């Protein structure tokens, strides 16, 4: 059974930083993509950032480019999202997701989801 366990969310002031972690277990495929969607109240889930295990390729939502950095420790099957210069509009529930193969930015491509972690940025 695939499990994605997130940690690292919380409350931070605007301009501050947080690091989200997602520990994956139960994978049986060698090439996979892991990343993050986020969702606020009354909004659709939106892709934030993703990384592919086989080649380290990454994708970022335009609004987080230059502020967020995704990285992975393949040996630990853990992905990190370093979030700097946080803004109030980054406030959302962040969900770790995983799929086999290459990066996709639409929710329906991802079969595996974490429980979500709240990120709140105060102004």
């Amino acid at each position: 059974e695939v499990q994605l366990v997130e940690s690292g969310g919380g409350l931070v002031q605007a301009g501050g930083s947080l690091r989200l972690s997602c520990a994956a277990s139960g994978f049986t495929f060698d090439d996979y993509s892991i990343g993050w969607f986020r969702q606020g109240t009354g909004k659709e889930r939106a892709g934030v950032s993703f990384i592919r295990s086989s080649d380290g390729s990454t994708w970022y939502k335009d609004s987080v480019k230059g502020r967020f950095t995704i990285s992975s420790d393949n040996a630990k099957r853990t992905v990190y999202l370093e979030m700097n210069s946080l803004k109030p509009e980054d406030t959302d529930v962040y969900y770790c997701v995983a799929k086999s193969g290459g990066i996709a930015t639409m929710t329906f491509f991802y079969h595996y989801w974490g429980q979500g972690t709240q990120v709140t940025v105060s102004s």
Side-chain angles (χ1 to χ4, degrees), residues 31-34 49-60 70-72 101-103:
D31 180 24
Y32 56 90
S33 295
I34 292 185
S49 183
F50 307 94
I51 187 166
R52 186 174 185 175
S53 66
S54 61
D55 60 7
S57 56
T58 59
W59 181 92
Y60 293 95
I70 193 167
S71 61
S72 66
I103 289 172

Side-chain angles (χ1 to χ4, degrees), residues 5-10 19-23 36 78-79 81 96 115-117:
V5 179
E6 302 127 331
S7 60
R19 188 176 81 156
L20 304 183
S21 299
C22 176
W36 302 86
T78 299
V79 171
L81 185 66
C96 180
Q115 79 281 2
T117 186

Side-chain angles (χ1 to χ4, degrees), residues 17-120:
S17 298
L18 284 173
R19 188 176 81 156
L20 304 183
S21 299
C22 176
S25 62
F27 276 22
T28 58
F29 30 88
D30 293 329
D31 180 24
Y32 56 90
S33 295
I34 292 185
W36 302 86
F37 283 89
R38 70 187 191 188
Q39 185 175 27
T41 303
K43 297 190 296 184
E44 292 186 355
R45 291 182 179 179
V48 179
S49 183
F50 307 94
I51 187 166
R52 186 174 185 175
S53 66
S54 61
D55 60 7
S57 56
T58 59
W59 181 92
Y60 293 95
K61 178 182 177 64
D62 283 347
S63 63
V64 307
K65 287 179 181 177
R67 300 189 298 121
F68 291 12
T69 302
I70 193 167
S71 61
S72 66
D73 183 332
N74 287 349
K76 294 182 179 179
R77 297 272 174 130
T78 299
V79 171
Y80 306 97
L81 185 66
E82 187 74 36
M83 306 186 294
N84 298 317
S85 303
L86 282 162
K87 304 175 181 181
E89 51 264 42
D90 294 316
T91 296
D92 272 331
V93 178
Y94 285 69
Y95 295 91
C96 180
V97 296
K99 65 181 291 290
S100 62
I103 289 172
T105 60
M106 305 296 288
T107 58
F108 57 78
F109 286 109
Y110 288 88
H111 301 296
Y112 306 109
W113 290 75
Q115 79 281 2
T117 186
Q118 178 70 48
V119 171
T120 303

